[in-house]
Amino acid sequence: MKNINPTKTISWKNLQNHLQEMKKINLYHLFKQDKNRFTNFSINFENKILFDYSKNIINKNTIQYLINLAKETGYIDFINALFYGEKINVTENRSVLHTATRNNNNYLLKNKKIYDDINFILQKIKNISNNIILNKWKGYSNKKIKNIINIGIGGSELGPLMVTEALKSYKNKLNLFFLSNIDSEQLINIIKKIKPEESLFIIVSKTFTTQETITNALSIKKWFIKKIFTKINRNILSKHFIAVTNNINAAINFGIDKKNILPLLSEIGGRFSLWSSVGLSISLSIGFNNFQKLLNGANKMDNHFFYTPINHNIPIIMALISIWYSNFWNTETEAIIPYSNNMCFFPKYLQQLCMESNGKSIDRNGNKIKYQTSPIIWGDIGTNGQHSFFQMLHQGTKLIPCDFIASVNNSNDSFKEHHNKLIANYIAQTKTLAFGNANKYILQKNIYKYCFGNHPSNSIFLKKINPYNLGLLISYYENKIFMQGIILNIFSFDQWGVELGKKVANIILNDFNQNIKKVNKYDSSTNGLINFYKSFY
Ligand code: F6P
């Protein structure tokens, strides 16, 4: 595999020249020039997801130059290495296996034993889900389990949180709670609503050392023991505590019964882990069959990414278009705007997926990077965003590419008028961002009311937000982000930048616990903040 600095390629130079040409035309002209533009710049994926990328400031030459860039960076070797299980997570000396967790029938991995591990974990997820949902697994006092509490943060929360909210209409009767922050407000709010004897706590932590998760888990365990008024023993704990982790010994030391520990393979990155044992709360919430459909959808998009020629490969094309904006138009951010209330956590989920993967500044050769890597991912649901930040999208000074996401069918057939209005807004916003006011008269009459247009967007239109299609969509973004990292010559599967903060937090925590009056060993700001806090002790 080649570690090419993309700015040193011929294609990069061609794109810089091409940019000057594209700055002279706008979306209005691009659509005028080609009456089939929508057909030429959209992909209908099995009539399950329509990807309309026609409202981008591109033409066929742009796409060709971008494809040439991908080819010059040797992208195909990285895609093969991912799916064949080579160690592309170089700085952690690991392969990357999230695609294998849902491609457990493709047998692309060279090491076939991994499929045994994956299928073992899937079976455990299935057994636990069925036993809880069918009330075969009871609490220590023989009460039904009514509450599932996922204790985890980052990738140990965001995937299950986003998926179970997006698939709310598929949820069963189990109450699902997510405990992630170290701020005890979240813990207090949850324990107000649950009875310990009816609750199952899933401690999700790949390392089983994350401060927030272990602190929350210990507090919950203490609360549980205090509330049940019965002498605690492993048998009681085994009915209410499960661990999902790569650190089996730490989970056993915590008091988790060995049979209640679901392994999390070290080759599964946290932000890519919802398909693995981290997805237990998803399977409990929507049932194992729907969880399997989620994986099947992701598998389908993986196969598209792995086998489809580049010019019809939607994750690759969209990755290239993102690079076109961030590295040539110098855009700083990308907005994710789901026109679906249940997809409210999708922008938050993509923040970790994209910015923890590609928020890097050292390239694969160890050199400081002098070009843009990850965009800032942000966003909120529509139509609400229209009443908060859309003003800036329409008339601000920044160029902000947007992904608009919606579904043809909503989760129920009632309130059809509502859905028609939601979709009308979804379409209208991409139109007005692209073309602005068609009427030049407004420009003369009142320039403050004039929208200049030429703001790019992708319209991602699902047939329905169901498990299979959501799996397609998430896999699309995972593979798009992976492709961006390949071309940007970065390692997308480590996250060393978040380790330092964790270490310093523990050192400062010790300062709080010391009985020294004043701290003066840091910079004046850190000293000042610590001493201000301690002054109220
Ligand atoms: O944010 C850093 C990180 O390591 C994420 O990559 C991960 O998803 C999260 O913390 C939680 O880590 P763990 O699953 O080990 O508790």
Side-chain angles (χ1 to χ4, degrees), residues 131-150 171-177 190 193-201 239-240 284-285:
N131 287 337
I132 294 285
I133 292 167
L134 299 172
N135 298 319
K136 289 179 185 169
W137 176 321
K138 296 277 184 30
Y140 81 96
S141 60
N142 211 31
K143 291 268 181 71
K144 287 179 187 175
I145 298 295
K146 292 181 180 174
N147 309 306
I148 305 295
I149 300 89
N150 186 94
K171 284 176 86 168
N172 52 35
K173 60 193 182 315
L174 289 169
N175 303 312
L176 185 56
F177 300 90
I190 289 171
K193 295 171 186 163
I194 61 173
K195 289 181 183 165
E197 64 272 20
E198 298 171 343
S199 301
L200 176 70
F201 301 95
K239 295 185 184 304
H240 295 278
L284 281 162
S285 178

Side-chain angles (χ1 to χ4, degrees), residues 157-318:
E157 175 200 43
L158 286 170
L161 175 70
M162 179 274 293
V163 169
T164 52
E165 187 68 18
L167 298 176
K168 204 177 231 173
S169 59
Y170 293 84
K171 284 176 86 168
N172 52 35
K173 60 193 182 315
L174 289 169
N175 303 312
L176 185 56
F177 300 90
F178 288 91
L179 175 55
S180 51
N181 203 341
I182 194 78
D183 180 347
S184 57
E185 293 298 337
Q186 201 180 29
L187 171 64
I188 293 163
N189 289 336
I190 289 171
I191 56 180
K192 275 180 193 165
K193 295 171 186 163
I194 61 173
K195 289 181 183 165
E197 64 272 20
E198 298 171 343
S199 301
L200 176 70
F201 301 95
I202 308 173
I203 303 167
V204 185
S205 179
K206 183 173 178 180
T207 56
F208 223 84
T209 59
T210 303
Q211 183 189 61
E212 298 93 331
T213 303
I214 302 310
T215 306
N216 277 323
L218 285 168
S219 299
I220 281 284
K221 184 180 168 187
K222 280 181 198 145
W223 167 82
F224 180 86
I225 292 168
K226 189 166 162 245
K227 292 292 275 186
I228 65 168
F229 309 117
T230 307
K231 189 167 173 3
I232 197 74
N233 59 48
R234 273 190 183 275
N235 185 43
I236 290 179
L237 284 178
S238 73
K239 295 185 184 304
H240 295 278
F241 285 83
I242 283 177
V244 171
T245 186
N246 182 249
N247 190 341
I248 307 297
N249 290 334
I252 291 170
N253 293 338
F254 181 88
I256 306 290
D257 191 307
K258 201 164 171 32
K259 72 177 187 313
N260 282 6
I261 298 174
L262 280 78
L264 177 50
L265 301 178
S266 60
E267 297 86 356
I268 307 282
R271 53 194 175 273
F272 297 93
S273 64
L274 72 88
W275 322 97
S276 67
S277 41
V278 169
L280 175 60
S281 53
I282 299 172
S283 178
L284 281 162
S285 178
I286 63 174
F288 182 79
N289 290 342
N290 282 322
F291 180 67
Q292 185 61 65
K293 286 175 185 168
L294 182 78
L295 271 64
N296 295 345
N299 182 11
K300 188 71 180 176
M301 183 58 77
D302 288 341
N303 289 340
H304 168 79
F305 177 58
F306 185 67
Y307 293 107
T308 305
I310 188 167
N311 54 333
H312 296 293
N313 193 308
I314 191 64
I316 294 181
I317 288 169
M318 297 296 220

